[in-house]
Amino acid sequence: MSDSVLPASVPHDGTDAEARPVFVTERRVLGIPVSTWPSILAPVAIGCLALAAWEAIVRIKGIPSYILPGPLLIAQTLVADWGTLSGALWITLRITFAALIAAVTVGVALAVVFTQSKWLEKSLFPYAVVLQVTPVVSIAPLIIIWVGDINLSLLICAWIVAFFPILSNTILGLNSADHNLVNLFQLYGATRWQTMRYLKLPAALPYFLGGLKISGGLALIGAVVAEFVAGSGGSASGLAYRILEASYQLKIPRMFAALVMISMTGVAIFLATSFVAHLLLRRWHESAVKREN
Amino acid sequence: MSAEPSFAAPASRALVSIRRVSKQFANGTLAVRDVDLDLAQGEFVSLLGPSGCGKSTLLRMIAGLGAPSAGTIDWPTAVHDADGRPQRDLGFVFQDPTLMPWATALANVTMPLVLKRMNRREADERAAEMLALVGLKGFEKAYPRELSGGMKMRVSIARALVTHPSILLMDEPFAALDEITRHRLNDDLLRLWADQRFTAVFVTHSVFESVYLSQRIVVMAARPGRVMADLTVDAAYPRDDLFRTSAEYAHLCRVASETLKKAIAL
């Protein structure tokens, strides 16, 4: 009977193969699709204009650099102080990434455990919320006192801030697997583990990646905030401490330079997590797919 | 074609034997009441009725998704496990294709075999064979969103048949498709049925579809869902476009339509 199967890939044969959605393969310049370029160039142009205006105002009004340094001076400081600042950046980055990894591990593991037992979720989830809504600035001093080791306490602070979006998003994702697919797995006698591995975890991936994008930035913020608290207590570390130190010494351009580094790091983390999300979802998820209409 | 309710299939030949089955939902709705039905090995049965007549609920209970509130569903010929549960050897096709969007067509069809812990290479081979059989050779690596509605449904059918089940349960599988595609899939389904000799249970609210496909039409009525008539469609197979335009088909459709109308009016 296999002689009578429908020809699948013959073009213009009137089968429903003709009704497949149309996808775009776009021309690329420097590896980036043509239609993406405006969304890169527009913010860059606005940024350049704003920096130029800033520099002009500082020069025309003669504002002293200890009140507001111009972007050129900040760039010069960034280059001149690169040695000190990059060392501090490295410390902050290490804490940020360690916190993010811990947030992903604990967040996903807890989410998996919570979806296995409704009671566990009901009894523990409120405390995850409490942890999330307690301002980290207010508990950072306590953590620093209790833990003793400064790097570990910074890590814990950054983790507290970063882990909640991953937990709540992954729970949402694990629970949003297509109900009929869950039934289908049941029909085939799938074990809990098989259902998790082949159905729930893949279904949760887009949600998890959404959480990761938020947590990436939050881990950095958490690390910096905790460093500020630790820094005011006299423990030296990271970029935030450099900012504090510079402000005590009225080295305002250096403060700005450190600030620029933190912002750029945040942007880099966002771009990296977005890129990972794009790679993982581009073949199948609506959010990562381009259509002709 | 006889309009008399008859449960003539002898119990010994029955693949599934449904006795006085009722289903009441937690909110009090009586979805199915006192259904008696025997499904014989290899037959093509349609459950025909208006929406809300419990035909999908009945189908899901046969599949083991949700237990009946009263009555029994027996699988006389099936192997039973240690707890006395029948090892239902079935395939299920939902109203939507219900594919995993993150997996290719091949991986979707492979899934039932993977869940049964079949070795990966053998599973891939069988899945590819099945995809070819439903007319999707060359689309193994396509993701569901790259396929048309009809093609997705074909993948869904391939997935249901890849385990070579003894019974294929279909819940209005072609309701969302255009007529041309639906006719093609009807023809392909009959071809697969003739080839693989599974028992087919097809839920539909289309008189024309049920007459075209089945040997037997179980007409159901709503509120509460119950069986009103059991019609035999004694037109010969293979059925094709010629049958679709024949006077015989028109006549059978009229009889089925009148039975359905009477069932709804009661």
Side-chain angles (χ1 to χ4, degrees), chain A residues 1 6 16 21 23 183 284 289, chain B residues 60 101 145 148 150 154 191:
Chain A
M1 67 141 282
L6 289 184
D16 53 1
F23 296 98
N183 280 162
W284 64 276
V289 160
Chain B
R60 295 175 74 89
R145 40 175 303 284
S148 70
R154 286 172 190 278
R191 203 197 61 222

Side-chain angles (χ1 to χ4, degrees), chain A residues 167-249:
Chain A
L167 174 70
S168 66
N169 272 29
T170 309
I171 289 178
L172 181 65
L174 290 173
N175 287 331
S176 63
D178 183 336
H179 191 70
N180 280 335
L181 275 174
V182 175
N183 280 162
L184 192 80
F185 272 60
Q186 219 176 308
L187 282 182
Y188 287 115
T191 61
R192 272 179 174 223
W193 162 245
Q194 284 178 322
T195 310
M196 187 52 79
R197 157 89 179 71
Y198 295 115
L199 178 58
K200 295 202 165 171
L201 284 177
L205 189 63
Y207 297 82
F208 162 76
L209 290 168
L212 184 67
K213 271 190 209 176
I214 303 169
S215 289
L218 284 182
L220 180 65
I221 292 174
V224 169
V225 167
E227 278 177 7
F228 262 106
V229 177
S232 357
S235 315
S237 69
L239 270 178
Y241 178 73
R242 292 295 161 207
I243 291 180
L244 269 179
E245 187 190 51
S247 77
Y248 292 149
Q249 300 166 353

Side-chain angles (χ1 to χ4, degrees), chain A residues 1-2 4-9 13-21 23 177-181 183-191 194-195 197-200 202-203 282-286 289-291, chain B residues 60 63-65 90-92 94 96 98-102 111-112 114-117 120 132-137 139 141 143 145-151 154 159-160 163 181 184-185 188 191-192 195:
Chain A
M1 67 141 282
S2 40
S4 63
V5 291
L6 289 184
S9 42
D13 58 350
T15 63
D16 53 1
E18 299 271 286
R20 283 183 299 154
F23 296 98
D178 183 336
H179 191 70
N180 280 335
L181 275 174
N183 280 162
L184 192 80
F185 272 60
Q186 219 176 308
L187 282 182
Y188 287 115
T191 61
Q194 284 178 322
T195 310
R197 157 89 179 71
Y198 295 115
L199 178 58
K200 295 202 165 171
R282 73 200 152 110
R283 288 306 302 270
W284 64 276
H285 200 254
E286 291 298 333
V289 160
K290 227 188 180 79
R291 277 187 184 240
Chain B
R60 295 175 74 89
L65 298 170
L90 55 81
F92 201 102
F94 295 91
D96 302 312
T98 316
L99 302 176
M100 301 179 291
W102 55 84
M111 190 49 62
V114 170
L115 293 178
K116 290 187 185 312
R117 301 178 197 286
R120 204 54 189 249
L133 223 48
V134 298
L136 284 181
K137 198 175 177 59
F139 288 97
K141 293 214 163 70
Y143 284 78
R145 40 175 303 284
E146 297 164 346
L147 301 173
S148 70
M151 294 163 90
R154 286 172 190 278
R159 177 181 61 191
T163 55
T181 308
R184 272 181 190 281
L185 279 163
D188 287 353
R191 203 197 61 222
L192 287 165
D195 188 54

